[in-house]
Amino acid sequence: MWLYQASAILLAAAGLAEAQTGNASALPFPNTTYPGRESPALAGVDLFNATSPPFYPSPWMDGSGEWAEAYRRAQQFVSQLTLMEKVNLTTGVGWEGEACVGNVGSIPRLGFPSLCMQDSPLGIRLSDHNSAFPAGGTVAASWDRGLWYRRGYEMGVEMRGKGIDVQLGPVVGPLGRTPAGGRNWEGFSPDPVLSGIAVAQTVRGIQDAGVVATTKHYIGNEQERFRQAPEAFGYGFNISESLSSNIDDTTLHELYLWPFADAVRAGTGAIMCSYNQINNSYGCQNSYLQNYILKGELGFQGFIMSDWQAQHSGVGNALAGMDMAMPGDTSFLTGASFWGPNLTLAVVNGSVPEWRIDDMATRIMAAYYLVGRDEASVPTNFNSWNRDTFGYRHPVPQLGYQQINFHVDVRNEHGRSIRDQAARSTVLLKNTGVLPLANNERFTAVFGSDAAENPWGPNGCPDRGCDNGTLAMGWGSGTANFPYLITPLEAIKEEVQNNNRIIQSVIDDYAYSQIASLAGQATLAIVFVNADSGEGYISVDGNEGDRQNLTLWHNGETLIQNVTARCNNTVVVIHSVGPVLTNTFVDNPNVTAILWAGLPGEQSGNSIADILFGRINPAGKLPFTIGASRRDYGTDLLYQPNNGGAAPQDNFYEGVFIDYRAFDRANIQPVFEFGFGLSYTSFEYSNLNIARRSAGAYTPTTGLTSAAPVLGNFSRNLADYQFPANFSAVPLYIYPYLNSTDAATAANSSDYGLPAEQYIPPNALSGAPQPRIAAGGAPGGNPQLYDVLFTVTATITNNGTRNGEEIPQLYIGLGGPNDPIRVLRDFQRLSIDTGMSATFVADITRRDISNWDTVTQNWFISDYPKTVHVGSSSRNLPLTGTLEL
Ligand SMILES: *[C@@H]1O[C@H](CO)[C@@H](O)[C@H](O)[C@H]1NC(C)=O
Ligand SMILES: *[C@@H]1O[C@H](CO)[C@@H](O)[C@H](O)[C@H]1NC(C)=O
Ligand SMILES: *[C@@H]1O[C@H](CO)[C@@H](O)[C@H](O)[C@H]1NC(C)=O
Ligand SMILES: *[C@@H]1O[C@H](CO)[C@@H](O)[C@H](O)[C@H]1NC(C)=O
Ligand SMILES: *[C@@H]1O[C@H](CO)[C@@H](O)[C@H](O)[C@H]1NC(C)=O
Ligand SMILES: *[C@@H]1O[C@H](CO)[C@@H](O)[C@H](O)[C@H]1NC(C)=O
Ligand SMILES: *[C@@H]1O[C@H](CO)[C@@H](O)[C@H](O)[C@H]1NC(C)=O
Ligand SMILES: *[C@@H]1O[C@H](CO)[C@@H](O)[C@H](O)[C@H]1NC(C)=O
Ligand SMILES: *[C@@H]1O[C@H](CO)[C@@H](O)[C@H](O)[C@H]1NC(C)=O
């Protein structure tokens, strides 16, 4: 069975071309799971070496949901294409082959340009005159649907202006299984509902601006370590395959897949498959997850794009549902491709059926039409590989010297919006009354390198791979260049000086005698501390993407301690990628306020000043739990290979019990619970009302699909696929053409010519009508899952002295022995003036009260009593009721 998953014609070992250098660092390796913290549902289940069942054929697009018109237009376009033109749409031209981080081939005959795929989830990477937005994990703390949409739209507008077709974001994988996961900050929240609503709003925003959104990384991409064998090799780990995230069916549906379903329902045009294996089958060739779950059950209509070098075979990936190979070469700069000429050959020899390549091309073009790229497209006017105005179009072979950067300023007025987004995402964790600052403080002192500019400049470290100066973004491909970075120190200094008061700072974290001296004079101290993480290809201070610990960087705890020892009015501001341990200072009476400001982007200083000085009343709520120790989270990263030289096995034994669900189940008191956040005013909750709504019964989807459409025809004569006469090929560039009329020579692979039964799984070539999936039926799954069964209302009153905003949250207890005590299901950000009330309205859908049944492969509502809780955090829930089913 594994053979169909892991192998195929044209399979090759992943190269070591991009291996990093370094040593396996000596870490205080924690256990992956903590004894006694396994999910009760997984008692007796062995996840080690779990397998992923095969599922074929790959579902073909059918234009369901909002895709009908895009589908019609895509079919019309693809019907005109030759086989090699279709191959060009599906295969990248190779790493650094063109201006964007990924480009597919073009169709010169029809004047159709190469599609441009560009990072990142928080703005345009490797460019200039673009904005640097707050990170996903930061804006998650706003719990604000409108803000998420607006941020997505603004990013989309910038992408569009640079000539980018496909934005490589947003992120819901990692979801945030463990707080130390290096890329958690690129995503939103470990809660699937908060992430699901945020991703849907972001997708809509990006795509309404005329750019295709790529929801990534599908799926189980929960840690950096071991995500790619060559990268791990560079860090001194001798493993032959990527880590396998071993996830059971229920956990997949109730947790990790949930926000992907929301993204699909919102119309995401692309989904990126991940580096890791899932149940020992690579993300981009896992037929179960791509064919059955994503394109079958979730009815995904767009295209699946590989992560960069996450493709490990040719035919195997095509039959397992992948639609676009990125960046196109087997590994960076080999000049060879699993697709390109190999895909041309595979279609000609029947290993990949024609309907499958037609479906790949149709899905890509449908996403293009869905978002209106035919009208929004402008030529790409920047180059990822060089910031100079002139340079090589193809930098590796140094060909095509020309103007490559046109420095188009796409920022519009987004800076103002970014300032607002970050301020509204700031969480007030502690306040003894010092905030908001009256700005009549006699002597203000600011401390910490995190308050100030990186001495190397805001973009001084490539892909932000350092922690110098104020932290406003993590590191890796999920970054953008800053147009400027307003530091906290400059914003606060301007504010204080405008009032002719005193302000001084020490930004050397280790100048303890100067710190003590200044702290002793200050009537107010503001200490900035941080904790960073990022993507696995960069190691910062021994953190190979993932964090080694949950404590502060640059000895932030000691810095705080030195300040508080001399100053009884110390405000702590934390810039971090996720939870940090606050035990050493949280209860210190001299710490009079604590703010979590996340990764705020380019307006960092202005955003925090707006909160400190009370221009904006904080209303952000933690999108994760802050615990007293990493053990309290109940699960952890896999820091050491545990399977010899074979794929490390990352067993998700905690099931659905991550973050607050783990704390609640083990009855562990967090320091600050999920959903917690203070305001400068106060709110009262009353009048819970639960109204039953009429909805039909849940009916499984039945029947058969139509047969796979075939668009056009093609020759079986290899002579028709040779490089055109006098063609001047760019070295290392991936083309669809063959270099020989002998198939084995053209494939250049020892795997060529294997008997088909060794690499073509049963049923994989069939274009006959297929049974529909019971839990499917439309993009996002069975449409009746989204029927509203109840509407809950409550009254929220601002009983304090300032106008403010409050985020009432609705949690449901599903009641079963394997269920979390309560799970978030809805929320609303309400603006309520002092003395006034507002009504919180939350709909409860069928999905919200369902569990996944692994036997029927469908959702069902259990007989256990269901409770509803409404309040201001996951542990402050004054209103409770029951759902009468
Ligand atoms: C076809 O794929 C194989 C890997 O399976 C690779 O070694 C070979 O170079 C590829 N052929 C071409 C022409 O890119
Ligand atoms: C790690 O797990 C082992 C085996 O379950 C246990 O004996 C040990 O105490 C654990 N260590 C920690 C630090 O939790
Ligand atoms: C898991 O699979 C690897 C690779 O096939 C094998 O070496 C190992 O013995 C297996 N371990 C268990 C416990 O099944
Ligand atoms: C495929 O794309 C490349 C790169 O844009 C282009 O040079 C070539 O002409 C295209 N081939 C076909 C058949 O359209
Ligand atoms: C910037 O960061 C790098 C990488 O962590 C470090 O080596 C360097 O000392 C830092 N430079 C400054 C000026 O802070
Ligand atoms: C945690 O990691 C940071 C960053 O590498 C490091 O500065 C700090 O010393 C570490 N903390 C502990 C307690 O080891
Ligand atoms: C300040 O930091 C130094 C260096 O770690 C430490 O030895 C000292 O105890 C701290 N002072 C106070 C008052 O906390
Ligand atoms: C709080 O600050 C005062 C100085 O204002 C100092 O005397 C006292 O020791 C500090 N307390 C703590 C717990 O650091
Ligand atoms: C700090 O100490 C000063 C001087 O002892 C006192 O006037 C002030 O009220 C204290 N501030 C706080 C916030 O406790």
Side-chain angles (χ1 to χ4, degrees):
M1 184 196 296
W2 64 270
L3 183 76
Y4 306 135
Q5 298 294 314
S7 173
I9 186 176
L10 318 172
L11 176 105
L16 300 181
E18 48 78 63
Q20 310 293 312
T21 52
N23 298 313
S25 40
L27 287 177
F29 295 113
N31 284 348
T32 306
T33 51
Y34 296 103
R37 301 296 296 278
E38 303 83 2
S39 163
L42 292 170
V45 173
D46 187 5
L47 290 175
F48 203 95
N49 282 356
T51 56
S52 189
F55 186 88
Y56 298 94
S58 186
W60 36 92
M61 185 184 180
D62 63 8
S64 70
E66 294 164 22
W67 289 76
E69 176 64 8
Y71 179 55
R72 190 189 61 75
R73 294 184 69 189
Q75 283 201 321
Q76 204 171 43
F77 183 85
V78 174
S79 298
Q80 314 167 60
L81 303 185
T82 66
L83 173 56
M84 287 194 294
E85 287 167 343
K86 293 171 190 171
V87 169
N88 250 6
L89 273 182
T90 66
T91 306
V93 301
W95 180 241
E96 300 193 10
E98 293 285 355
C100 304
V101 295
N103 280 86
V104 292
S106 60
I107 305 174
R109 185 176 64 86
L110 301 178
F112 188 80
S114 155
L115 298 177
C116 160
M117 270 55 70
Q118 188 71 9
D119 294 311
S120 79
L122 57 62
I124 305 169
R125 180 184 175 212
L126 304 174
S127 178
D128 57 15
H129 296 87
N130 57 275
S131 301
F133 290 80
T138 299
V139 294
S142 74
W143 302 56
D144 187 332
R145 288 168 168 82
L147 185 153
W148 293 326
Y149 176 85
R150 181 170 180 171
R151 173 176 170 273
Y153 185 80
E154 290 167 346
M155 290 194 295
V157 164
E158 297 200 9
M159 296 264 165
R160 187 181 69 201
K162 290 280 185 188
I164 293 160
D165 296 283
V166 181
Q167 176 173 356
L168 302 177
V171 171
V172 288
L175 187 67
R177 176 184 177 235
T178 62
R183 297 180 80 177
N184 292 356
W185 58 274
E186 293 189 42
F188 297 102
S189 162
D191 182 85
V193 168
L194 183 54
S195 270
I197 295 172
V199 76
Q201 292 298 93
T202 307
V203 163
R204 288 190 188 104
I206 292 169
Q207 298 199 155
D208 282 355
V211 169
V212 176
T214 309
T215 303
K216 63 187 193 175
H217 308 83
Y218 185 74
I219 192 171
N221 194 166
E222 297 293 328
Q223 69 172 57
E224 292 303 284
R225 212 176 185 78
F226 313 136
R227 65 182 186 151
Q228 287 177 287
E231 186 176 278
F233 187 83
Y235 288 129
F237 297 104
N238 200 3
I239 54 168
S240 57
E241 305 292 341
S242 299
L243 159 143
S244 176
S245 294
N246 298 330
I247 312 176
D248 70 282
D249 193 23
T250 301
T251 302
L252 179 79
H253 280 86
E254 296 185 3
L255 189 60
Y256 296 101
L257 187 65
W258 186 290
F260 281 101
D262 290 310
V264 171
R265 190 156 179 260
T268 188
I271 288 193
M272 186 187 290
C273 50
S274 59
Y275 287 123
N276 56 290
Q277 305 192 65
I278 306 94
N279 298 336
N280 292 289
S281 171
Y282 276 102
C284 297
Q285 63 194 40
N286 188 316
S287 64
Y288 187 80
L289 282 161
Q290 296 187 136
N291 288 345
Y292 179 66
I293 298 285
L294 185 54
K295 290 182 171 176
E297 186 183 317
L298 296 189
F300 175 53
Q301 299 288 304
F303 62 98
I304 301 177
M305 172 201 315
S306 74
D307 203 339
W308 270 232
Q309 308 183 111
Q311 183 180 15
H312 297 277
S313 78
V315 172
N317 291 62
L319 299 180
M322 196 181 98
D323 303 298
M324 184 188 279
M326 276 293 132
D329 31 19
T330 49
S331 55
F332 294 166
L333 302 177
T334 56
S337 179
F338 293 110
W339 283 8
N342 275 323
L343 185 54
T344 303
L345 272 173
V347 175
V348 171
N349 77 15
S351 304
V352 171
E354 190 190 1
W355 61 258
R356 182 74 267 270
I357 180 122
D358 288 348
D359 184 52
M360 294 177 190
T362 304
R363 286 171 175 274
I364 292 165
M365 291 309 300
Y368 178 92
Y369 287 121
L370 182 79
V371 306
R373 286 231 42 81
D374 51 324
E375 280 162 24
S377 174
V378 299
T380 305
N381 53 43
F382 75 104
N383 187 290
S384 300
W385 318 115
N386 194 333
R387 296 270 51 76
D388 295 343
T389 302
F390 288 85
Y392 294 107
R393 172 174 167 194
H394 309 294
V396 179
Q398 302 203 331
L399 288 175
Y401 192 82
Q402 59 191 52
Q403 183 168 0
I404 54 171
N405 283 301
F406 294 81
H407 313 293
V408 178
D409 195 325
V410 292
R411 294 172 302 135
N412 300 300
E413 296 295 313
H414 297 163
R416 255 187 267 168
S417 178
I418 288 168
R419 173 177 182 161
D420 183 70
Q421 289 163 18
R424 282 180 201 284
S425 304
T426 303
V427 185
L428 178 62
L429 296 173
K430 178 178 180 180
N431 186 14
T432 61
V434 57
L435 298 183
L437 300 173
N439 203 7
N440 57 5
E441 204 59 58
R442 287 176 50 235
F443 193 133
T444 301
V446 174
F447 296 96
S449 59
D450 185 68
E453 181 115 350
N454 177 354
W456 291 1
N459 301 314
C461 305
D463 293 338
R464 308 299 82 77
C466 66
D467 186 29
N468 302 348
T470 194
L471 182 68
M473 210 180 271
W475 74 75
S477 67
T479 53
N481 287 333
F482 289 104
Y484 52 76
L485 174 50
I486 308 291
T487 67
L489 179 57
E490 61 190 297
I492 294 168
K493 188 182 267 182
E494 182 177 314
E495 196 101 21
V496 172
Q497 281 187 326
N498 282 345
N499 234 15
N500 198 23
R501 300 280 172 167
I502 291 168
I503 177 164
Q504 292 170 29
S505 60
V506 177
I507 59 169
D508 179 337
D509 298 305
Y510 303 97
Y512 294 120
S513 70
Q514 289 79 1
I515 289 165
S517 164
L518 181 58
Q521 303 170 62
T523 55
L524 166 71
I526 310 177
V527 186
F528 286 84
V529 291
N530 71 32
D532 201 358
S533 74
E535 191 173 348
Y537 67 93
I538 297 175
S539 172
V540 179
D541 197 24
N543 298 267
E544 294 156 356
D546 303 317
R547 280 190 282 170
Q548 300 192 35
N549 61 53
L550 302 184
T551 54
L552 298 171
W553 289 38
H554 305 297
N555 288 21
E557 293 87 356
T558 308
L559 172 64
I560 294 170
Q561 194 193 335
N562 269 267
V563 174
T564 52
R566 307 281 321 270
C567 177
N568 67 354
N569 187 17
T570 303
V571 174
V572 175
V573 179
I574 303 165
H575 286 125
S576 76
V577 289
V580 291
L581 303 182
T582 57
N583 311 346
T584 59
F585 57 89
V586 65
D587 292 326
N588 185 327
N590 286 358
V591 173
T592 47
I594 304 175
L595 288 154
W596 183 75
L599 304 171
E602 68 187 36
Q603 289 275 337
S604 176
N606 288 331
S607 303
I608 198 68
D610 286 345
I611 293 288
L612 289 169
F613 294 99
R615 282 186 294 271
I616 290 183
N617 189 346
K621 305 275 189 180
L622 281 181
F624 48 72
T625 301
I626 294 184
S629 82
R630 69 187 297 165
R631 284 184 62 90
D632 288 356
Y633 291 84
T635 188
D636 220 315
L637 297 180
L638 183 67
Y639 279 99
Q640 275 181 316
N642 59 357
N643 197 13
Q649 301 292 300
D650 196 7
N651 304 313
F652 289 25
Y653 281 123
E654 74 289 348
V656 298
F657 295 94
I658 64 169
D659 200 75
Y660 68 92
R661 298 146 171 238
F663 283 77
D664 290 349
R665 177 165 165 263
N667 199 17
I668 293 173
Q669 182 66 41
V671 180
F672 297 111
E673 73 270 20
F674 175 85
F676 177 81
L678 300 169
S679 165
Y680 297 153
T681 185
S682 56
F683 299 96
E684 190 185 299
Y685 284 64
S686 62
N687 285 340
L688 181 73
N689 183 55
I690 303 173
R692 215 193 147 111
R693 300 269 299 271
S694 56
Y698 184 60
T699 47
T701 296
T702 57
L704 293 177
T705 69
S706 55
V710 172
L711 309 174
N713 48 43
F714 61 94
S715 144
R716 304 241 174 219
N717 182 355
L718 295 189
D720 295 333
Y721 299 97
Q722 304 300 303
F723 274 91
N726 303 322
F727 190 82
S728 132
V730 176
L732 301 179
Y733 205 91
I734 309 300
Y735 295 98
Y737 311 115
L738 310 184
N739 64 3
S740 168
T741 51
D742 174 66
T745 307
N748 191 27
S749 168
S750 54
D751 289 345
Y752 192 85
L754 288 176
E757 55 275 21
Q758 280 188 25
Y759 65 90
I760 297 181
N763 219 24
L765 304 185
S766 172
Q770 300 293 315
R772 291 186 194 275
I773 293 171
N782 191 314
Q784 291 164 335
L785 290 171
Y786 300 92
D787 289 345
V788 175
L789 304 190
F790 298 91
T791 296
V792 176
T793 55
T795 303
I796 321 297
T797 304
N798 182 340
N799 61 3
T801 54
R802 283 178 164 258
N803 297 342
E805 294 177 303
E806 172 64 331
I807 302 163
Q809 301 157 40
L810 180 144
Y811 293 81
I812 295 182
L814 293 173
N818 297 337
D819 292 320
I821 291 174
R822 65 189 83 88
V823 287
L824 179 75
R825 284 301 187 248
D826 207 355
F827 53 86
Q828 214 179 350
R829 185 164 175 139
L830 299 172
S831 175
I832 313 173
D833 287 353
T834 174
M836 305 298 280
S837 295
T839 304
F840 168 54
V841 183
D843 286 335
I844 297 177
T845 65
R846 177 172 275 119
R847 182 172 71 146
D848 289 336
I849 55 171
S850 293
N851 286 94
W852 180 251
D853 184 335
T854 59
V855 177
T856 62
Q857 285 291 294
N858 213 333
W859 297 91
F860 74 107
I861 299 175
S862 76
D863 292 334
Y864 297 108
K866 315 247 174 276
T867 50
V868 171
H869 308 271
V870 173
S872 63
S873 82
S874 64
R875 288 193 171 211
N876 184 2
L877 297 162
L879 307 180
T880 294
T882 55
L883 295 178
E884 304 299 338
L885 290 163

